[in-house]
Amino acid sequence: MLELFTMNMFDYLTWRGDITFQQDPFNEVDNLLLSQLTYVDFTGILSDTKKMTLKELSDRFFADRSLPEDNLKKYRSYILKKMGDSRRFSARVIRQYVAKLLKDDSEQLAVVMYDLPDHTTVVSFRGTDETLIGWKEDLILSYASISSQKDALDYVNRYCNRWRRYRFIGHSKGGYLALYAAMKCEKKIQKQIIQVISNDGPGLMPGTYDPEEFEQIRDRCTLIVPEKDGVGTIYEMDRKKKIVKTSANNIVSAHNMLTWAVEANRLLYTLNENYETVLTRKVVSQLLEETEPEQREIFVREVFDRLDEIGITTIGQLGKGGLPLMIKVLRSLIEMDSAAKTVSGKILKTISENIGSDIYRSLSKKADAFRKKPADLNEDIAFLIKE
């Protein structure tokens, strides 16, 4: 647990929101805020042909609505309001908003641009939402490409030009799309990209890209992950990596950037990884090495079917159960007659080998306690939203 005085991105807006970009250039906390803001649904207000300042967008967004009841949507909407009211962000122009959701194709995509005073433009890709469907899309990357890759690339080639400089950013799947689009876009645009930041996003699956293409942008790429990391361990690539401290108590909750520690105008980094991160990396690495894509596809489908059966549908619910809950799910899959049984067995074997029998027994007891204790189905983050 972090010290009580450690700030998060909301505190940054409160204490430093009156400092302009001319006084303090774009930094990694700004990156968190703009990545998070992209989760807000601007449909009906903004489009690829409309542009406005963040203040205008905020005023129109809240003209006929209040903050949502759902805590996750609430704090994302609240970011818009806080940024619209701040001196730092209020006059920033937001434009080229494109969003699509195709259920049949399992595609979720949203991208938007933010113009900064230094004549750079931030291209921000939306990540996965709070539902487990979004996380399932992240795990699909362990065995296949996703539909939003092509549309992200088309967006960049259509709306970016050779006269501006660009920063590509995104959280979770959004970070993956930022990396993919930067690597695959037209060369005249790629030359204008000065920074690519993936906030706890997975890397690219080997065999789906040319390593020489990645080498062209590698020095401009940064991966920021929490000290308790899960998603960022998927297909790790040779790029600058920074580990940020988090107030979360498990790798699922730590994926939420609101838990990432901020100090003044920078993130609070550490050299240490949590043991769950090390374990997750070993599990993921062994899983990818010892299984075929077809097996992983069946496994991912069966895991999410089982979570659906026991009523787990959001990140918050999964975070409450943490690793003990996942062990419970994996054990249940071993009883099935499918490829999921083989994959589950490999994962549990890796867990037991790497964290030791004593810790494993402790986790098993926690799993039993979780089964007996009624689950709190709503992750309460209201205390983080400060008026």
Side-chain angles (χ1 to χ4, degrees), residues 35 54 199 213 248 295 323:
S35 294
L54 276 178
N199 300 290
E213 291 180 326
Q295 290 177 301
L323 187 56

Side-chain angles (χ1 to χ4, degrees), residues 34-261:
L34 294 177
S35 294
Q36 198 65 263
L37 184 60
T38 306
Y39 279 101
V40 180
D41 185 4
F42 300 128
T43 303
I45 304 175
L46 203 61
S47 70
D48 60 342
T49 59
K50 293 181 181 179
K51 65 179 181 179
M52 60 190 71
T53 66
L54 276 178
K55 175 60 176 174
E56 292 171 331
L57 178 62
S58 178
D59 289 345
R60 294 189 189 187
F61 185 87
F62 289 106
D64 58 354
R65 76 189 85 187
S66 56
L67 289 174
E69 292 296 324
D70 178 83
N71 279 325
L72 194 55
K73 292 180 180 179
K74 180 185 292 184
Y75 88 72
R76 285 171 176 165
S77 299
Y78 193 75
I79 283 179
L80 170 61
K81 188 175 188 304
K82 290 272 285 186
M83 293 176 76
D85 290 339
S86 72
R87 185 182 177 200
R88 185 169 181 81
F89 292 101
S90 60
R92 303 283 61 78
V93 172
I94 180 171
R95 59 185 174 88
Q96 257 72 55
Y97 175 69
V98 172
K100 61 193 302 184
L101 180 63
L102 302 176
K103 185 175 181 180
D104 291 342
D105 293 336
S106 298
E107 179 180 3
Q108 171 208 18
L109 174 76
V111 197
V112 71
M113 292 185 178
Y114 306 96
D115 289 336
L116 302 182
D118 62 356
H119 304 293
T120 65
T121 294
V122 174
V123 182
S124 181
F125 297 82
R126 181 184 295 172
T128 50
D129 58 21
E130 67 273 20
T131 66
L132 285 186
I133 294 175
W135 273 57
K136 183 178 180 180
E137 189 174 26
D138 277 335
L139 293 180
I140 288 175
L141 292 170
S142 70
Y143 58 83
S145 299
I146 54 177
S147 302
S148 53
Q149 290 178 204
K150 179 181 181 301
D151 286 332
L153 179 59
D154 290 344
Y155 176 96
V156 168
N157 286 336
R158 178 177 180 182
Y159 295 112
C160 295
N161 58 57
R162 67 177 71 183
W163 298 286
R164 291 192 69 87
R165 295 181 302 156
Y166 295 95
R167 306 175 192 272
F168 285 17
I169 68 173
H171 171 245
S172 191
K173 186 194 70 175
Y176 168 88
L177 294 177
L179 173 63
Y180 179 84
M183 189 176 65
K184 293 285 189 177
C185 67
E186 296 175 1
K187 295 303 179 184
K188 63 181 181 181
I189 296 172
Q190 189 178 84
K191 291 178 180 179
Q192 299 301 106
I193 300 173
I194 61 174
Q195 193 173 28
V196 181
I197 304 178
S198 174
N199 300 290
D200 204 19
L204 275 62
M205 182 170 63
T208 63
Y209 69 96
D210 184 343
E212 293 185 3
E213 291 180 326
F214 173 62
E215 191 61 30
Q216 297 301 311
I217 64 165
R218 183 174 62 83
D219 291 342
R220 289 170 275 177
C221 295
T222 300
L223 172 65
I224 301 175
V225 299
E227 57 189 324
K228 302 170 186 177
D229 182 35
V231 176
T233 63
I234 301 175
Y235 296 131
E236 291 183 308
M237 302 170 71
D238 182 19
R239 48 185 164 163
K240 184 187 301 181
K241 180 178 177 180
K242 298 182 177 182
I243 304 172
V244 63
K245 290 188 176 182
T246 174
S247 60
N249 58 13
N250 59 68
I251 61 175
V252 176
S253 299
H255 188 58
N256 183 347
M257 293 184 293
L258 188 61
T259 71
W260 295 8

